[in-house]
Structures are given as structure tokens and as C-alpha cells.
């Protein structure tokens, strides 16, 4: 079994009772809302990763203002040539404040749209579990930095 580790940084951006989300496009073409963010480049600091990724996916410049927590997922999936991957995703979640830029959609990336959503609308959205993790971390700010008891997501 092939072991894979992906370390990523994501932002919870809240303004006027709304949450900034990016729409992730899965390999099968399905689309679900997620927190803006993504994978760290080798040698990159996660603080810099979240700034870069939010700009790429939403057009906004952000300033991380708090480290909310770390979330870890693990799953297996089939790979080419009949092998299986043992995947672990380590997601570092920051609270971030928009400091500039303009809302726009990413082209040629893993997301195709960015938008602000009222908190009341979020539970009705097609979304990955990371959105719920981010909201829980943002609302509860657990001392351990862990949002326990929530379903895992695919991104």
C-alpha cells in the first residue's frame, strides 16, 4: 500500500454574518463548497500557504489573525495499476481577515467559484466536511485546536 501525506492550510473568513467559501471540483466533476486554501509547497510555511491559496482561489488578499486548529483525516482509495493509497490529510485552519483584492473565480485550479454565504445558508450547501470543521473551530475555539466529533471531508 502506498502512503500519501498532504499538508494543507485553509482560511475561515467571516464578514457581516457571511462566510467565504470556494467551490471545489472533484475528479468526477461533482462540485462542493469548501474553505479556501490548499496544499503546501515543499519548504513553504503554512502561514504563507494560506495567504497564497486564498488569493489564488478567491482573488482576496488576507491576513491570518489566529490559528484555529489542526484537522487530520485518513482514507484509502484505489490508485493506478491496481494499487491502493493510504492517504492522510493534515489541514491547518486559520482565521483570516480580508485586507484587499476583489472577489473573483479561480481558473485552471481545483476550484471554479468563490462566494460569500450567509451562516444560515451554509447547512443547506453541498459542502465538504472541512467547512463544518472550520465553523466549529471558529465558533468554539477549542484549547486543543481540535474539532472533535465531526465527519471527515474529502478535500
Amino acid at each position: 500500500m502506498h502512503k500519501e501525506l498532504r499538508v494543507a492550510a485553509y482560511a475561515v473568513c467571516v464578514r457581516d454574518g457571511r462566510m467565504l467559501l470556494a467551490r471545489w471540483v472533484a475528479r468526477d466533476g461533482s462540485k462542493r463548497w469548501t474553505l479556501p486554501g490548499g496544499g503546501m509547497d515543499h519548504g513553504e510555511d503554512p502561514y504563507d500557504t494560506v495567504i497564497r491559496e486564498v488569493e489564488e482561489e478567491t482573488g482576496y488578499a488576507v491576513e491570518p489573525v489566529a490559528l484555529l486548529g489542526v484537522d487530520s483525516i485518513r482514507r484509502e482509495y484505489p490508485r493506478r495499476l491496481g494499487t491502493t493509497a493510504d492517504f492522510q490529510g493534515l489541514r491547518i485552519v486559520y482565521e483570516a481577515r480580508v485586507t484587499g483584492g476583489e472577489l473573483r473565480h479561480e481558473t485552471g485550479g481545483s476550484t471554479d467559484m468563490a462566494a460569500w454565504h450567509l451562516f444560515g445558508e451554509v447547512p443547506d450547501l453541498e459542502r465538504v466536511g472541512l467547512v463544518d470543521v472550520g465553523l466549529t473551530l471558529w465558533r468554539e475555539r477549542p484549547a486543543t485546536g481540535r474539532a472533535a466529533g465531526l465527519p471527515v471531508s474529502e478535500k
Side-chain angles (χ1 to χ4, degrees):
M1 186 173 302
H2 180 76
K3 294 179 182 178
E4 293 181 11
L5 174 65
R6 180 177 188 261
V7 181
Y10 296 90
V12 175
C13 298
V14 173
R15 181 169 72 186
D16 302 324
R18 295 176 184 264
M19 182 177 195
L20 180 63
L21 297 174
R23 193 170 66 178
W24 174 58
V25 181
R27 291 175 197 214
D28 66 4
S30 63
K31 298 177 181 185
R32 289 173 283 172
W33 293 98
T34 188
L35 298 179
M40 274 178 40
D41 292 334
H42 182 77
E44 186 176 35
D45 187 280
Y47 184 93
D48 298 325
T49 300
V50 76
I51 292 169
R52 175 182 55 77
E53 285 284 342
V54 172
E55 194 282 326
E56 287 176 6
E57 293 184 353
T58 71
Y60 286 124
V62 297
E63 174 189 12
V65 295
L67 175 62
L68 295 176
V70 176
D71 185 60
S72 180
I73 62 167
R74 190 169 178 191
R75 62 184 168 89
E76 291 183 8
Y77 67 89
R79 297 185 74 213
R80 290 177 288 168
L81 305 176
T83 61
T84 302
D86 177 1
F87 173 84
Q88 181 180 10
L90 185 67
R91 292 97 59 93
I92 302 164
V93 182
Y94 291 92
E95 177 180 12
R97 179 174 58 88
V98 173
T99 59
E102 291 184 16
L103 183 66
R104 62 149 174 75
H105 307 313
E106 181 178 32
T107 54
S110 62
T111 66
D112 71 346
M113 178 183 281
W116 291 94
H117 296 275
L118 290 169
F119 283 130
E121 297 172 349
V122 172
D124 296 325
L125 296 173
E126 288 289 327
R127 66 193 186 284
V128 299
L130 182 60
V131 173
D132 298 325
V133 169
L135 269 174
T136 299
L137 289 170
W138 182 78
R139 287 181 174 141
E140 298 178 7
R141 299 181 185 265
T144 60
R146 184 167 185 250
L150 291 173
V152 297
S153 77
E154 293 77 34
K155 183 178 186 232

